[in-house]
Amino acid sequence: FRGTMNGRLSLILLSSLVVAAACGSADPVPRNVAAHADTLAPVDPEQAVRRTVRVFGARIQTVPLLAPDSIAASRVQEAYGALVTPDLLSDWMARPTAAPGRRVSTSWPDRIEVQQVQPAGVDEYLVVGTLIFESSAPGRSTSRVATRPVRLHVRRTSDGTWRISVFEQPAGGVSPS
């Protein structure tokens, strides 16, 4: 009886220490996870696809297509490498002017506004959106100056990430907003 009583007391003491340690934590989410919560991939596939397109759209302005091909190709890789499929990336790096990017200095592609996300197969979505161009005049804030429709195919790759496999813009100029 005495041996089992000591064992039970030890178990109760150990359990109490574990509970006390857990309850004593003021931050139930580890700080490193909370600090980077916005970088965690959403569980919902449509949310993950939308996020991929938003990040891609925000990076378009960082790719200077007027730069020499070697510089433009390097910026394409830096900006889009984690967001597009390897095939699309290698195509754009070989022909940087075929990639989306900043073509003039007076206005720039600022973002993609997603209008529609629809399944296009197993682990693939079609995204229809609008590429928004902005400009600013000295002493003024930025403003929308033009829009252009875009279509993207986003698919889940073998490593589980969502990547853009097709980026299409209709031929022709930018439409005034």
Side-chain angles (χ1 to χ4, degrees):
F1 177 77
R2 190 177 229 221
T4 58
M5 183 60 124
N6 284 340
R8 285 184 185 155
L9 284 175
S10 296
L11 182 59
I12 291 170
L13 181 58
L14 180 60
S15 298
S16 298
L17 290 173
V18 170
V19 170
C23 291
S25 172
D27 188 6
V29 177
R31 291 175 197 262
N32 61 341
V33 172
H36 302 291
D38 61 333
T39 62
L40 296 177
V43 175
D44 176 33
E46 185 177 321
Q47 291 287 351
V49 167
R50 286 178 179 274
R51 182 179 185 284
T52 299
V53 171
R54 278 195 309 269
V55 171
F56 176 81
R59 291 186 183 177
I60 292 175
Q61 66 182 285
T62 68
V63 179
L65 299 178
L66 295 175
D69 281 354
S70 62
I71 293 172
S74 173
R75 287 300 301 140
V76 163
Q77 183 172 19
E78 290 172 20
Y80 306 143
L83 299 170
V84 302
T85 60
D87 289 344
L88 186 56
L89 182 63
S90 65
D91 181 44
W92 285 349
M93 288 182 67
R95 299 177 309 119
T97 56
R102 192 171 184 153
R103 298 183 191 284
V104 296
S105 60
T106 55
S107 65
W108 60 89
D110 184 64
R111 66 190 175 280
I112 294 175
E113 291 181 354
V114 175
Q115 271 82 47
Q116 185 178 32
V117 176
Q118 61 189 35
V122 176
D123 287 337
E124 185 168 353
Y125 286 83
L126 169 65
V127 178
V128 176
T130 304
L131 182 58
I132 306 299
F133 289 81
E134 293 200 344
S135 182
S136 65
R140 300 175 71 192
S141 62
T142 61
S143 62
R144 179 186 296 204
V145 294
T147 61
R148 187 171 199 177
V150 293
R151 290 171 41 104
L152 304 93
H153 284 262
V154 184
R155 66 181 172 91
R156 189 186 330 242
T157 59
S158 61
D159 66 359
T161 59
W162 290 92
R163 294 184 182 237
I164 298 164
S165 59
V166 175
F167 178 83
E168 299 172 328
Q169 298 179 80
V174 174
S175 304
S177 195

